[in-house]
Amino acid sequence: MSTMPAVVLVGPMGVGKSTVGRLLAERLGTGYRDTDDDIVATAGRTIAEIFVDDGEDAFRAMEKEAVRTALAEHAGVLALGGGAVLDADTRALLAGQRVVYLSMDVEEAVRRTGLNVARPLLAINPRKQWRELMEARRHLYEEVATAVVPTDGLTPQEVTRAALDAVELKEA
């Protein structure tokens, strides 16, 4: 028997997928799962360590498998890593899912992520790196999204409410 997540959250690093995902799950009375957490648990290392030790390609392969598994198993709120949408097979799996793209502008991203060394893709010149990542990914987030929820200047609670409204889900 196959299940389907109630909501899948996508968007760039630092946008609040984990925070909003937990709040959404609580409001919907369901479970929360984050594929980045799944990867860390499976690998026994942080994502930054995987990037450094094995490279981005190895991480993306783990991510693709983690997303495929979570989409098949998890019926609650599912948050995907910022780069999960880069994979065409993952995007195909997201078709027909209720996907919310949490968006934010570059200034908000820099404010939220700062110079966080735990984010290997932003290690050098975070503002420029983030802009480049978004140029490469924005259309992919939009492609898989059933709804886009801007997060700039909003509290996690306000974003959660907007996400619920966007996908027309009722709180438990």
Side-chain angles (χ1 to χ4, degrees):
M1 181 185 116
S2 160
T3 64
M4 189 165 126
V7 179
V8 179
L9 297 176
V10 299
M13 59 188 89
V15 76
K17 295 182 298 285
S18 299
T19 303
V20 170
R22 285 185 187 91
L23 288 169
L24 269 174
E26 188 179 301
R27 294 238 187 124
L28 293 170
T30 189
Y32 168 76
R33 185 166 174 175
D34 183 321
T35 57
D36 280 352
D37 293 343
D38 292 350
I39 294 165
V40 169
T42 301
R45 297 179 286 161
T46 67
I47 289 171
E49 288 169 333
I50 296 166
F51 262 81
V52 170
D53 296 343
D54 304 337
E56 185 174 356
D57 289 348
F59 170 75
R60 295 295 172 208
M62 288 183 226
E63 181 174 56
K64 178 178 180 172
E65 181 60 25
V67 171
R68 190 186 64 69
T69 300
L71 286 171
E73 295 176 354
H74 187 67
V77 176
L78 179 64
L80 304 188
V85 298
L86 294 170
D87 184 76
D89 294 336
T90 295
R91 292 194 307 276
L93 289 174
L94 290 171
Q97 301 277 347
R98 191 181 287 122
V99 180
V100 175
Y101 163 31
L102 300 180
S103 70
M104 67 179 166
D105 71 22
V106 69
E107 295 311 319
E108 184 81 0
V110 169
R111 188 180 69 72
R112 290 187 196 180
T113 60
L115 300 173
N116 189 337
V117 294
R119 301 187 187 274
L121 292 179
L122 294 184
I124 301 162
N125 195 346
R127 189 174 269 108
K128 178 177 181 279
Q129 293 290 114
W130 194 87
R131 270 198 192 95
E132 289 173 2
L133 282 174
M134 283 309 295
E135 284 169 19
R137 297 176 180 179
R138 183 176 288 110
H139 71 285
L140 300 174
Y141 293 136
E142 291 169 350
E143 175 187 320
V144 300
T146 2
V148 179
V149 175
T151 65
D152 301 292
L154 299 179
T155 67
Q157 292 76 14
E158 290 167 330
V159 173
T160 301
R161 174 83 258 148
L164 285 169
D165 291 346
V167 293
E168 299 177 345
L169 283 172
K170 302 296 176 233
E171 295 182 47

